Amino acid sequence: MPVPVPRQRESTAVEHGQVLLPKQQAGSSMQTAAAAAPVAAPVQAAPASPGVSANSTDLTLLVIEDDPAGTFTVPSLLDAAGTRVRIRTARNLTEAERLLTDDVHCILLDLALPAPSSGGDGEAGDRLAALRHVLRLAPRHAVLALTAETDADLAAEAVRVGAQDYLFRDELDGRQLSRAIRYAVERKRADRAQHKLAESRLRAQENARLERGLLPTPLLEGSNLRFASRYRPGRSRALLGGDFYDTVRTSDGTVHAMIGDVCGHGPDEAALGVELRIAWRALTFAGLCGDELLSTLQQVLEHERESEEIFATLCTVDIAPDGRRAGLCLAGHPSPLIARQGRAAQLLPYEDGGPALGLLPRARWSRRQVELGGSWSLMMYTDGLIEGRVGPPGSKQRLGQDGMVDMINRQLTAGLRGEALLEAAVTEARDLNGGELTDDVALLLLDRG
């Protein structure tokens, strides 16, 4: 006689030798081989997540069915591949919730199970209310729906709602059940992997849109200056780093340009750089410049930074409406490069620069007047451009400001201007470095004439 599976206890086909399905004859040809099987090994500790077992050949099935006799029996589930299926049974959803542990790989739900007595699982008369409840209860588990062959439409609807597959009670045998469990578990794994991949792609797209929105749009309407920029973050697959820049024209015709660098190049530094850029734009439109502006920006940095060790360098240039003069402020930042018509490019004076923002609590910054001339190109940059290495592999020599000036002069002689000049500068610095530059790089170019 077949031995029924005891209720509320984990069992295996190996332990019982044979187990019968409802409506199956006792003389199944598959029973003999199972009877001689050895005793099952002890149950392994529960894995971290469903579908991953300490023994990769073992599977655990939770059966939720309303058979009043209390038996759900199958032929031996030790298949040709050596997969052993442990079986747990529950008579209702409350009992199933107690038995649903992380080592359960698959749930077999009888669609004839009465719907939960409490609301929230569908409208009255919903024949899939129990299934919907199980899917909410076990969103990470594979689910098989069990029903009669006459309910083929209901079975198909169960798959549409979220079950991995369905089985007909009248046609079920051990081999079919074992195969269905394997299929359901693997399909659930694939579905979860696909879902995580889709979420990752959406998150990456949202981050990219956000970062693009945080990059500045120059406000130069009414100015005869030409603007170009180049930005390359040091972080892999990022659009925004700790470098920041901006350019605006105020109502008096003055063009204000700024470039800065928060130490580090992670997401926190990128966020702080955006805050400083937005604050600079607001303060500039409010009429602040020079020491007053930089002192206020330092207060913003001190308030927003996560650590007192965080600082930022900054360079600001205020170009007069006639375009021939400018005010220059340096806060620990390298001086801009200027190329005048008919003359080699050179650095603007940098002797009067002050400390980086966030280093000294009561620091002061001088504003130096410089002559630009009638026709010029002014390039502002961050130290990511000049700190790349040059020379043979393993060399500790840096490009430096002098090397950068020589490089720009060669490119100007070759006729490069605007975006092409900035692109060539970054490309050559990367080539001299023997690979990608590790720090963020930002360049800003203003041309007149």
Side-chain angles (χ1 to χ4, degrees):
M1 294 292 293
V3 181
V5 177
R7 273 200 182 278
Q8 301 181 17
R9 176 181 178 275
E10 187 176 86
S11 62
T12 70
V14 176
E15 290 176 282
H16 297 294
Q18 60 178 347
V19 191
L20 289 184
L21 284 168
K23 299 186 180 182
Q24 182 174 332
Q25 298 300 320
S28 170
S29 61
M30 301 181 63
Q31 297 171 7
T32 305
V39 177
V43 177
Q44 301 293 327
S49 60
V52 179
S53 175
N55 183 346
S56 61
T57 64
D58 289 353
L59 294 173
T60 301
L61 176 69
L62 175 61
V63 179
I64 312 173
E65 47 84 27
D66 66 343
D67 182 0
T71 60
F72 182 89
T73 57
V74 296
S76 172
L77 294 185
L78 189 63
D79 62 16
T83 300
R84 180 180 55 182
V85 178
R86 298 186 177 98
I87 299 174
R88 297 176 187 172
T89 59
R91 289 170 295 189
N92 52 56
L93 295 175
T94 301
E95 187 176 331
E97 185 171 359
R98 181 174 61 83
L99 296 175
L100 185 62
T101 54
D102 281 342
D103 59 335
V104 171
H105 299 79
C106 186
I107 299 170
L108 180 63
L109 173 68
D110 188 348
L111 295 183
L113 194 74
S117 57
S118 59
D121 291 295
E123 300 177 356
D126 183 1
R127 298 180 64 191
L128 295 177
L131 175 62
R132 299 181 199 276
H133 182 87
V134 168
L135 293 174
R136 283 193 290 271
L137 185 67
R140 299 164 60 224
H141 291 74
V143 177
L144 290 169
L146 180 67
T147 188
E149 187 176 4
T150 55
D151 279 334
D153 291 341
L154 181 66
E157 180 68 9
V159 174
R160 189 193 67 80
V161 168
Q164 271 61 59
D165 203 353
Y166 63 83
L167 298 168
F168 291 136
R169 185 182 295 105
D170 299 340
E171 298 180 354
L172 189 61
D173 60 32
R175 181 174 297 178
Q176 182 186 26
L177 178 59
S178 178
R179 184 171 60 248
I181 293 170
R182 278 175 169 271
Y183 170 78
V185 169
E186 293 305 321
R187 180 174 177 181
K188 186 65 177 181
R189 285 173 176 165
D191 289 345
R192 290 183 60 198
Q194 187 65 29
H195 181 69
K196 289 181 178 179
L197 179 60
E199 283 186 337
S200 177
R201 287 173 175 170
L202 286 174
R203 190 178 301 114
Q205 291 171 1
E206 290 174 356
N207 289 341
R209 287 195 296 269
L210 177 62
E211 288 181 319
R212 288 191 189 98
L214 293 176
L215 289 173
T217 301
L219 301 179
L220 292 174
E221 185 177 357
S223 172
N224 62 352
L225 300 183
R226 293 187 299 272
F227 171 89
S229 65
R230 179 75 167 84
Y231 193 94
R232 193 199 65 81
R235 289 185 296 143
S236 175
R237 296 186 298 275
L239 295 177
L240 204 61
D243 291 1
F244 54 99
Y245 65 90
D246 205 352
T247 307
V248 299
R249 180 177 183 268
T250 50
S251 57
D252 63 355
T254 301
V255 171
H256 306 261
M258 169 272 288
I259 195 165
D261 181 4
V262 178
C263 64
H265 47 269
D268 293 334
E269 289 78 12
L272 182 56
V274 171
E275 291 181 81
L276 292 174
R277 179 185 66 78
I278 294 173
W280 175 86
R281 179 176 283 200
L283 294 171
T284 298
F285 279 125
L288 275 66
C289 67
D291 178 74
E292 187 178 12
L293 186 148
L294 294 180
S295 296
T296 308
L297 283 179
Q298 175 158 281
Q299 294 178 29
V300 173
L301 182 145
E302 292 171 344
H303 179 74
E304 297 295 335
R305 65 185 176 183
E306 293 186 349
S307 166
E308 291 185 357
E309 298 177 355
I310 301 297
F311 63 90
T313 66
L314 193 69
C315 169
T316 67
V317 175
D318 308 318
I319 302 171
D322 63 7
R324 302 185 68 89
R325 301 176 310 280
L328 172 66
C329 288
L330 296 175
H333 199 89
S335 183
L337 177 148
I338 187 167
R340 299 179 177 90
Q341 188 173 17
R343 297 165 59 184
Q346 62 183 29
L347 298 175
L348 288 178
Y350 50 85
E351 294 83 3
D352 298 332
L357 304 180
L359 290 183
L360 301 177
R362 290 176 292 277
R364 289 291 179 263
W365 295 271
S366 61
R367 182 172 180 270
R368 178 166 185 161
Q369 283 290 125
V370 295
E371 294 295 326
L372 301 179
S375 179
W376 48 262
S377 293
L378 182 69
M379 189 182 85
M380 305 167 70
Y381 53 94
T382 56
D383 59 8
L385 179 68
I386 61 177
E387 290 187 347
R389 300 185 184 277
V390 297
S395 171
K396 296 184 179 180
Q397 182 182 355
R398 305 282 184 174
L399 176 63
Q401 287 180 287
D402 292 339
M404 179 199 65
V405 172
D406 293 340
M407 178 180 71
I408 295 298
N409 276 319
R410 289 195 304 271
Q411 293 164 351
L412 289 171
T413 302
L416 297 177
R417 300 290 187 273
E419 294 280 359
L421 174 63
L422 300 185
E423 182 66 31
V426 174
T427 299
E428 184 170 344
R430 183 176 61 239
D431 293 343
L432 291 171
N433 189 57
E436 288 293 337
L437 299 168
T438 57
D439 199 3
D440 305 326
V441 176
L443 295 92
L444 184 157
L445 186 68
L446 291 171
D447 286 314
R448 180 176 188 266

